[in-house]
């Protein structure tokens, strides 16, 4: 690869980068790839089944289930951006990746993360209106609004992430190394390779994270605070339990997604004394576990979906 000598040593102008996988666990990566592959297959099957059930059953053409379908599509796309290349690194030692392909993977991964966060926010707002103002739910969450939300969260994530890609491509020409200590192309993992000033890149990454994740977390928390206040004022115990039961699945997915997201985010930027293999493993799980859990959690907690799964299984057995 093209390189040059500068005062502080050799630097690269890379056309190829190398993903090492999980730092410190290279010798056992082939075994780690087995459960990751299992997670990927189950996530694909689960989300595909969810989409088929929601699409085929007209009773499920409601905002909550349509948001769930959006979440399923996003999860399939997100895990597919990561797992195939990761397994190539783990199993076949195909570690090289084109620089531009790496930037594209980085943009897609973070864009789908932003879309998922936006959908979780939309689901929280849907639950808030359904519980706190049920009579207006149908007039607020119209099919037009659902389309606008889907387009809006996609454009928000894609447009806000685009400058991250451009700032790397246009500002950072020289790199200390071409080896990425990660199993996929993550924004800060790529930026840290540069032999130039990266403060602008780091600052814009912070801005994007708080514009999407930070903004969404605040609104989701406010929604659930209002929901719980409204639930506690319901006179019937059965109504309170039903409302809590509806929100449990959302809260579980919300906590899993954002806790691991902020752990990865702060570890990369502020250098907490955490072993690299722990950080990278948790970063992988943060992106791969939600696509696995979402169809399982929502399938178990949602009676309508559970009934359709049972019908599907019985029909196949009879056939």
């Amino acid at each position: 690869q093209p390189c040059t000598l500068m005062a502080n040593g050799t630097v690269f102008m890379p056309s190829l980068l190398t993903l090492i996988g999980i730092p410190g666990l290279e010798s056992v990566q082939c075994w780690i790839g087995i459960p990751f592959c299992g997670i990927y297959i189950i996530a694909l099957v689960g989300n595909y089944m969810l989409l088929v059930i929601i699409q085929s059953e007209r009773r499920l053409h409601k905002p909550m289930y349509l948001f769930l379908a959006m979440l399923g599509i996003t999860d399939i796309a997100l895990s597919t951006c990561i797992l195939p290349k990761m397994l190539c690194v783990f199993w076949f030692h195909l570690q090289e990746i084109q620089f531009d392909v790496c930037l594209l993977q980085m943009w897609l991964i973070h864009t789908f993360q932003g879309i998922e966060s936006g959908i979780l926010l939309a689901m929280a707002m849907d639950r808030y209106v359904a519980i706190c103002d049920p009579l207006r739910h149908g007039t607020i969450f119209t099919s037009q609004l659902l389309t606008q939300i889907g387009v809006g969260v996609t454009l928000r994530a894609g447009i806000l992430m685009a400058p991250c890609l451009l700032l790397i491509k246009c500002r950072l020409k020289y790199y200390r190394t071409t080896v990425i200590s990660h199993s996929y192309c993550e924004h800060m993992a790529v930026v840290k390779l540069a032999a130039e000033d990266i403060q602008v890149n780091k600052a814009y990454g912070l801005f994007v994270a708080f514009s999407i994740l930070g903004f969404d977390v605040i609104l989701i928390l406010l929604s659930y605070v209002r929901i719980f206040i409204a639930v506690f004022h319901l006179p019937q115990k059965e109504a309170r339990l039903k409302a809590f039961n509806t929100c449990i699945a959302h809260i579980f997915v919300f906590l899993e997604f954002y806790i691991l997201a902020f752990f990865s985010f702060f570890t990369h930027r502020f250098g907490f004394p955490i072993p690299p293999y722990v950080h990278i493993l948790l970063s992988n799980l943060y992106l791969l576990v939600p696509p696995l859990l979402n169809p399982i959690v929502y399938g178990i907690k949602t009676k309508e979906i559970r009934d359709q799964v049972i019908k599907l299984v019985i029909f196949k057995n009879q056939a």
Side-chain angles (χ1 to χ4, degrees):
Q1 296 187 51
C3 65
T4 187
L5 287 172
M6 295 182 74
N8 58 351
T10 302
V11 295
F12 300 87
M13 300 171 64
S15 58
L16 288 173
L17 297 173
T18 302
L19 292 163
I20 67 170
I22 303 174
L25 298 180
E26 290 90 344
S27 60
V28 294
Q29 282 182 165
C30 58
W31 302 107
I32 295 173
I34 295 172
F36 278 12
C37 182
I39 288 172
Y40 179 57
I41 292 170
I42 296 169
L44 287 184
V45 172
N47 283 289
Y48 178 73
M49 279 185 64
L50 206 59
L51 291 173
V52 168
I53 289 168
I54 292 170
Q55 189 274 331
S56 61
E57 182 57 46
R58 290 192 61 83
R59 289 188 303 123
L60 299 181
H61 293 182
K62 299 175 183 176
M64 184 175 78
Y65 304 110
L66 295 176
F67 286 137
L68 193 51
M70 293 182 202
L71 198 62
I73 294 169
T74 304
D75 283 340
I76 290 171
L78 178 59
S79 54
T80 301
C81 285
I82 301 166
L83 245 297
K85 180 58 182 177
M86 188 186 295
L87 293 178
C88 285
V89 173
F90 287 178
W91 288 347
F92 308 112
H93 305 291
L94 300 174
Q95 298 175 302
E96 289 189 335
I97 184 170
Q98 291 282 341
F99 185 79
D100 290 339
V101 174
C102 183
L103 293 187
L104 177 61
Q105 186 194 45
M106 178 198 81
W107 180 78
L108 286 173
I109 289 171
H110 292 306
T111 295
F112 286 128
Q113 285 177 276
I115 293 171
E116 181 149 354
S117 179
I119 295 169
L120 290 175
L121 171 59
M123 294 173 81
M125 300 302 288
D126 171 68
R127 290 301 85 206
Y128 166 71
V129 176
I131 292 170
C132 298
D133 197 0
L135 296 179
R136 296 182 59 212
H137 183 266
T139 58
I140 293 174
F141 281 90
T142 61
S143 57
Q144 182 182 3
L145 179 64
L146 296 185
T147 303
Q148 290 171 347
I149 289 172
V151 172
V153 298
T154 302
L155 289 178
R156 179 187 69 159
I159 292 171
L160 282 174
M161 271 308 303
C164 287
L165 189 152
L166 294 173
L167 285 171
I168 293 173
K169 189 71 177 172
C170 299
R171 289 190 73 251
L172 306 179
K173 301 296 183 185
Y174 301 105
Y175 293 80
R176 292 190 306 274
T177 177
T178 60
V179 178
I180 301 177
S181 297
H182 215 305
S183 48
Y184 60 85
C185 293
E186 197 269 347
H187 176 246
M188 281 305 298
V190 175
V191 167
K192 283 181 175 180
L193 305 181
E196 302 171 74
D197 180 28
I198 61 172
Q199 293 306 312
V200 173
N201 300 74
K202 289 175 71 174
Y204 187 76
L206 277 168
F207 166 74
V208 173
F210 283 104
S211 297
I212 297 178
L213 296 184
F215 177 78
D216 291 353
V217 165
I218 291 169
L219 289 183
I220 290 171
L221 287 173
L222 288 174
S223 297
Y224 281 112
V225 167
R226 294 292 300 274
I227 286 170
F228 288 136
I229 292 171
V231 167
F232 279 122
H233 285 91
L234 291 175
Q236 300 90 1
K237 183 180 178 182
E238 293 78 10
R240 288 200 297 270
L241 289 173
K242 185 178 179 181
F244 273 124
N245 192 50
T246 303
C247 295
I248 285 172
H250 299 267
I251 294 169
F252 180 82
V253 172
F254 161 74
L255 290 174
E256 190 277 335
F257 181 82
Y258 287 105
I259 288 173
L260 285 178
F262 281 110
F263 170 85
S264 177
F265 174 80
F266 286 116
T267 300
H268 248 317
R269 281 164 177 77
F270 302 109
F272 295 130
I274 295 169
Y277 69 89
V278 174
H279 173 211
I280 304 306
L281 268 175
L282 288 175
S283 294
N284 291 335
L285 291 174
Y286 147 58
L287 293 179
L288 299 175
V289 171
L292 168 72
L293 287 182
N294 288 346
I296 296 172
V297 170
Y298 288 112
I300 291 171
K301 295 302 297 180
T302 308
K303 184 179 184 299
E304 291 84 352
I305 292 176
R306 198 165 61 238
D307 291 344
Q308 291 303 312
V309 171
I310 293 168
K311 277 186 188 177
L312 197 63
V313 170
I314 291 172
F315 175 77
K316 285 189 174 181
N317 287 339
Q318 288 174 345

